[in-house]
Amino acid sequence: MARDERGVTPQSEDFSAWYNELVFKAELVDRGPVRGTMVIRPYGYRIWELLQAGIDRRIKETGHVNAYFPLLIPESYLRREAEHVEGFAPELAVVTHAGGKELEEPLIVRPTSETVIGEMMAKWISSHRDLPMLLNQWANVVRWEMRPRMFLRTTEFLWQEGHTAHVDEDDAIRETLLALDLYASVAREIAAMPVVAGEKTAGERFPGARRTFTVEGMMRDGRALQSGTSHYMGTNFAKAFNIQYTAESGELEYAHTTSWGMTTRMLGGVIMTHGDDKGLVLPPVLAPYQVVIVPIGRGDQAGQVLPPAQELAGRLQRKGIRAHVDTRTHLSPGFKFNDWELRGVPVRLELGPRDLAGGTTLMSLRLGQGKTPVSLDSAPARLEAELGAFQDMLLRRATDFRDEHTNTVGSWGEFAEAVKTGWALAPHCGQPSCEDDIKAETSATPRCIPLDGPPAEGRCIRCELPSAYGKRLVFGRAY
RNA sequence: CGGGCUGUAGCGCAGUUUGGGAGCGUGCUGGCUUUGGGUGCCAGAGGUCGCGGGUUCGAAUCCCGCCAGCCCGACCA
């Protein structure tokens, strides 16, 4: 069928137009009245809830507890950690008036909560027996962004921020890496995104952090998306907020803190990792509807098809499958097929008189071609298996895509070519100015120093000074 | 914040050059018809022309300011 305004611009024609149209047409979001703000609509919010549930479960399984800290932060708190203020100053929203008058001290709408949480930790921690302190909060934060994009960079976004305090560096680093691993497993097992876990170079570090780690995913246009970050703060915040404890030795020591976050940006990652020209493709774990049943009836038969469709949905639901019957009577089946494909539903079942007569239903997979008859009796077990296979297939497909678009490069020419369509694995000298040159010429940046990258010496791909990291870095253009 | 483009019915757009009637497609409502890949016909509702100011007898149209969106840069989860 010729492209019309009911579909989306094909990815190959204009990837960002595809994305921008899709988030609205799939009814994931709408625009808020304030620049860069986003209304997350029920269909989009359900996906977030499912992602949230998976993250929250893992956070709790690893011994963390949830709490909630206030939205408004005294400006003076931010000033206490020099790099932190400097890093966030340009993107802060500040409340100067309240209660009908100007405030004596302006209040910051939190861009992140290190400072308030640090202040409270100082109050709650006094002995090594109070450590580690493993906190997490689910919250909204505000960062005034120059170029907003739905999910990827919005002025206000939702996230989870873990904040922990530890007796020493070893324990804090262990925590930092544990959170990173948690994010990698969330990305792979829930979102079916094959991320690369690694450390950021100095230039890409979080303001105030000693070390920053990241999981990076590859989108279908070859660009990288930072999908979760974990920071080791050293004693920077402990010193700024006086988080001290008495050690077994009786000495007063500063705690070592960490923080880590995963955000609604992840949904942008899901869209751009799996979506195609027909629209969204949702991993079953995150799909609000895993199976949609389209009843097909002609005239009087419409009424006869509905009860068996509902009955089938009920049997699927009892199996734990999120099944939905599309009961809209004013729309043709063809319209519904396209509609649910746009919205990324993994499996569609058609149920009409012909199927009922044979005791079957016609199954179509979101990325498959053709339709397969499935007996109604075996449907719950069959669909459970199909959904599992679909989830696995998405991860495999995304991994293959990522690998096909990742090149180990041996020259600057190869590097420049590689980052046009994907990632380049290359040695680097570690000089910030050299990173800048690379960015200026190719718009690629070091995404991370992969944790499991094999040792590799050699010379910087750009300036030929000796490699600073002992292994190759992942370079790519990023969101 | 710099450069370029845009804002007219829910959505997509024409009309703006050369000032005077607010239109088209789709969607929406009602009815009939249809339903296995975006049904067809008939009737109908729906717009402060992004917001504010100015010029004019008269502004969607000309001028100034602001807001929002898209693309390209600097910032970022």
Side-chain angles (χ1 to χ4, degrees):
Chain A
M1 191 187 77
R3 179 184 146 207
D4 63 38
E5 64 193 41
R6 289 173 296 194
V8 285
T9 300
Q11 289 182 335
S12 56
E13 190 178 305
D14 185 341
F15 193 85
S16 81
W18 169 83
Y19 180 86
N20 288 330
E21 291 167 20
L22 184 54
V23 292
F24 293 107
K25 288 191 173 170
E27 295 185 357
L28 299 178
V29 297
D30 211 332
R31 244 184 271 288
V34 173
R35 180 189 161 76
T37 60
M38 159 175 80
V39 175
I40 306 177
R41 301 181 64 172
Y43 193 67
Y45 199 78
R46 184 71 186 117
I47 301 172
W48 172 241
E49 285 182 325
L50 290 161
L51 178 64
Q52 228 183 349
I55 299 171
D56 197 59
R57 181 170 65 75
R58 286 167 169 78
I59 287 175
K60 286 171 176 154
E61 280 171 0
T62 46
H64 304 85
V65 289
N66 283 336
Y68 185 79
F69 297 84
L71 171 77
L72 298 172
I73 298 176
E75 192 182 43
S76 57
Y77 276 29
L78 253 81
R79 294 193 194 289
R80 289 197 221 161
E81 214 290 329
E83 289 177 33
H84 194 63
V85 220
E86 199 183 320
F88 279 108
E91 46 187 299
L92 295 179
V94 184
V95 179
T96 57
H97 290 71
K101 58 184 181 181
E102 186 166 355
L103 295 169
E104 278 187 31
E105 179 181 359
L107 301 174
I108 307 293
V109 181
R110 64 177 164 222
T112 177
S113 305
E114 272 76 7
T115 59
V116 229
I117 295 181
E119 178 74 9
M120 298 315 291
M121 280 179 165
K123 193 169 162 184
W124 298 337
I125 293 169
S126 50
S127 154
H128 66 90
R129 294 191 182 87
D130 297 322
L131 298 174
M133 182 166 282
L134 307 174
L135 303 177
N136 177 66
Q137 85 164 335
W138 288 95
N140 57 339
V141 290
V142 167
R143 300 181 187 178
W144 216 256
E145 296 293 349
M146 289 303 159
R147 284 185 59 186
R149 291 196 74 190
M150 289 298 155
F151 292 119
L152 304 175
R153 248 189 336 266
T154 47
T155 296
E156 177 186 1
F157 59 88
L158 305 182
W159 76 348
Q160 141 290 304
E161 48 180 323
H163 293 270
T164 67
H166 305 263
V167 290
D168 59 18
E169 173 163 356
D170 278 358
D171 201 45
I173 291 280
R174 236 188 324 274
E175 168 73 15
T176 309
L177 293 175
L178 178 118
L180 190 72
D181 192 55
L182 188 154
Y183 291 151
S185 85
V186 164
R188 294 192 186 110
E189 293 163 22
I190 298 179
M193 287 171 58
V195 290
V196 172
E199 183 165 3
K200 286 292 189 186
T201 61
E204 304 261 329
R205 235 173 247 153
F206 179 81
R210 289 268 307 280
R211 302 178 71 180
T212 287
F213 297 84
T214 176
V215 291
E216 300 279 329
M218 183 188 282
M219 307 296 101
R220 289 183 74 75
D221 62 353
R223 295 173 75 167
L225 184 76
Q226 182 171 312
S227 305
T229 50
S230 185
H231 316 287
Y232 167 59
M233 304 302 190
T235 53
N236 289 351
F237 285 86
K239 284 175 178 160
F241 290 90
N242 219 19
I243 309 171
Q244 287 183 298
Y245 69 95
T246 308
E248 286 180 71
S249 62
E251 298 286 316
L252 201 55
E253 307 271 10
Y254 283 109
H256 293 246
T257 64
T258 81
S259 75
W260 28 276
M262 192 173 251
T263 78
T264 37
R265 165 180 272 191
M266 194 66 185
L267 301 193
V270 170
I271 297 165
M272 293 193 293
T273 298
H274 303 301
D276 67 8
D277 287 350
K278 287 181 177 175
L280 290 180
V281 177
L282 294 174
V285 177
L286 290 179
Y289 301 130
Q290 296 170 315
V291 176
V292 165
I293 302 168
V294 178
I296 292 165
R298 179 187 290 272
D300 299 339
Q301 291 170 325
Q304 294 166 25
V305 171
L306 213 51
Q310 302 282 20
E311 192 269 342
L312 174 59
R315 285 196 293 129
L316 295 175
Q317 285 159 359
R318 280 193 290 283
K319 193 88 181 171
I321 295 170
R322 291 188 289 275
H324 172 72
V325 181
D326 188 343
T327 56
R328 294 175 292 180
T329 52
H330 58 297
L331 297 173
S332 68
F335 183 94
K336 293 175 180 177
F337 299 163
N338 287 286
D339 192 40
W340 292 115
E341 281 161 7
L342 179 80
R343 294 157 99 99
V345 172
V347 183
R348 183 185 70 240
L349 296 178
E350 295 171 40
L351 193 63
R354 292 209 293 267
D355 311 292
L356 279 176
T360 62
T361 177
L362 257 193
M363 176 180 74
S364 308
L365 299 177
R366 177 58 180 78
L367 289 172
Q369 54 272 64
K371 306 178 183 185
T372 316
V374 170
S375 85
L376 289 171
D377 292 339
S378 68
R382 174 70 184 272
L383 283 159
E384 188 177 45
E386 291 288 349
L387 289 169
F390 192 85
Q391 181 89 18
D392 295 345
M393 182 273 290
L394 284 187
L395 178 61
R396 202 164 51 245
R397 172 173 173 265
T399 305
D400 290 346
F401 181 90
R402 196 261 320 265
D403 293 346
E404 282 161 20
H405 292 80
T406 302
N407 287 294
T408 300
V409 298
S411 70
W412 177 243
E414 284 176 29
F415 179 98
E417 204 49 42
V419 297
K420 281 181 189 165
T421 54
W423 293 349
L425 299 177
H428 190 258
C429 61
Q431 308 290 318
S433 65
C434 181
E435 287 184 11
D436 293 345
D437 289 345
I438 291 174
K439 181 163 191 188
E441 290 178 44
T442 64
S443 75
T445 51
R447 301 320 305 153
C448 70
I449 309 151
L451 292 182
D452 61 358
E457 294 308 321
R459 299 189 162 270
C460 176
I461 197 72
R462 176 78 185 85
C463 69
E464 305 199 342
L465 288 172
S467 162
Y469 304 103
K471 57 172 76 167
R472 288 169 180 269
L473 275 59
V474 175
F475 282 87
R477 292 178 303 144
Y479 276 98

